[in-house]
Amino acid sequence: MITRRQMIAGLGAAMLAGQGGRAIAGARHDIGAMRLTSLSDGNLVLPGSFFFDGLPQDEVLAILAHHDLAFEELQPPCNVTLLQDGERTVLFDAGAGSGFMPSAGALTDSLDAVGVAPGDVTHIVFTHAHPDHLWGVLDDFDDLTFPQASYMMGAAEWDYWRDPATVDSIGAARVSFAVGATRRLDAIEERMHIFREGEEVLPGVAAVASYGHTPGHMAFELRSGTEALLIGGDAIGNHHVAFARPEWPHGADQDTTLGAQTRARLLDKLAQEQIALIGFHLPGGGIGRVERNGDAYRFVTEDM
């Protein structure tokens, strides 16, 4: 086994302490000296049609029913990864903040539950710049939520959201994404470090190009000796259908064809090499493993 995973001690009473009853407990997975904690930023609330329009509905419904999910409304969790190595306190993505969905924005509560103040965060590394990953960099007063942090983003992702033409080309349903990204990236531009595919962005943390969900989406492979874990962001997907039918287009991906290709490539690698996974919208704190299931895959959360 690569690592152990355990519930964070003392969080039982904190499970319902978040605003609106949102869970804020996390789960842990260690890679060498790197302690990884999956923290809840709440959840999204989206209709199944957002993901599954145009797909074989009978098969979609069967997969969802097998996992006790309803087509009419999905509530994917939002799992922000915290990395602590004794020198750095790193967040992979910044959560949604209070301006996106009422059901999201619990990250600061979750950090408090594990004894981390926003001012303790030294780095924020972005998988991509969708609202539930970026908008939490600003608080309700438009001040920096993490005032001491440096910020890191892949070059292709940065260039896409900084391009003035994006707001006109992204499509009507996502115009607010572009407007919101512009305001927040303006606020952190002077603290931003741009990296490229394959670069070691922090010790033991390498950027893995995983384009499709957004034009510059990045995953991150963490290694220490023979131990490895992939922080996948949204590249895999946020529901069991993505594992059962990875080749199907995913309505949340901006480039559905490239997104499906990336998903299939990553799932094959994770299953073949038995690399652990943290998925931003996956159940069980997002921590688990990918197993082959016939011609497809399944996500298996690690034992509590």
Side-chain angles (χ1 to χ4, degrees):
M1 297 296 293
I2 289 179
T3 62
R4 63 189 176 86
R5 176 179 178 260
Q6 61 185 42
M7 289 302 293
I8 296 172
L11 287 188
M15 286 285 288
L16 299 177
Q19 297 177 3
R22 290 171 290 174
I24 60 175
R28 204 178 86 193
H29 191 115
D30 298 339
I31 297 288
M34 294 180 283
R35 171 172 292 183
L36 302 171
T37 307
S38 172
L39 298 176
S40 176
D41 189 46
N43 64 275
L44 305 183
V45 179
L46 296 166
S49 58
F50 176 75
F51 302 105
F52 307 129
D53 266 2
L55 299 179
Q57 294 299 291
D58 288 348
E59 192 169 355
V60 168
L61 291 172
I63 295 170
L64 292 176
H66 180 73
H67 296 284
D68 295 323
L69 298 174
F71 179 90
E72 290 75 19
E73 181 179 278
L74 297 179
Q75 298 184 17
C78 298
N79 308 303
V80 176
T81 301
L82 170 69
L83 183 155
Q84 297 166 294
D85 64 4
E87 296 183 25
R88 286 162 285 271
T89 299
V90 183
L91 290 176
F92 289 86
D93 296 323
S98 61
F100 184 48
M101 284 190 179
S103 57
L107 179 57
T108 54
D109 292 331
S110 296
L111 284 167
D112 182 65
V114 295
V116 176
D120 296 335
V121 175
T122 60
H123 300 79
I124 296 179
V125 185
F126 294 103
T127 60
H128 63 297
H130 277 169
D132 48 330
H133 299 256
L134 169 67
W135 286 16
V137 298
L138 296 181
D139 65 17
D140 292 342
F141 303 97
D142 278 352
D143 294 325
L144 294 180
T145 305
F146 308 100
Q148 304 303 317
S150 298
Y151 301 86
M152 310 179 79
M153 183 176 286
E157 188 74 358
W158 174 262
D159 290 344
Y160 175 74
W161 295 102
R162 300 304 283 159
D163 185 349
T166 293
V167 70
D168 296 318
S169 63
I170 197 171
R174 290 185 169 98
V175 166
S176 65
F177 290 15
V179 174
T182 295
R183 183 160 70 86
R184 289 158 178 87
L185 293 176
D186 281 347
I188 60 177
E189 182 171 12
E190 293 183 358
R191 298 170 178 242
M192 182 66 71
H193 169 76
I194 304 300
F195 58 83
R196 299 187 182 277
E197 175 189 0
E199 183 177 335
E200 187 177 52
V201 299
L202 292 168
V205 180
V208 178
S210 46
Y211 305 154
H213 183 69
T214 61
H217 187 287
M218 287 283 182
F220 300 93
E221 185 171 296
L222 282 59
R223 284 196 175 269
S224 177
T226 60
E227 300 178 351
L229 177 142
L230 185 77
I231 297 174
D234 287 2
I236 301 294
N238 58 15
H239 47 72
H240 294 282
V241 176
F243 291 83
R245 291 292 182 265
E247 73 279 8
W248 282 355
H250 186 309
D253 292 339
Q254 291 184 219
D255 185 330
T256 57
T257 300
L258 182 57
Q261 293 170 354
T262 294
R263 182 162 49 255
R265 171 174 56 85
L266 291 178
L267 287 171
D268 181 70
K269 176 182 175 67
L270 290 165
Q272 181 172 335
E273 300 181 21
Q274 278 300 284
I275 296 172
L277 169 67
I278 301 180
F280 193 87
H281 292 300
L282 296 179
I287 301 180
R289 294 185 181 277
V290 176
E291 294 182 351
R292 291 196 179 276
N293 184 25
D295 294 331
Y297 305 88
R298 61 187 171 202
F299 179 66
V300 180
T301 58
E302 293 185 358
D303 292 337
M304 303 296 280

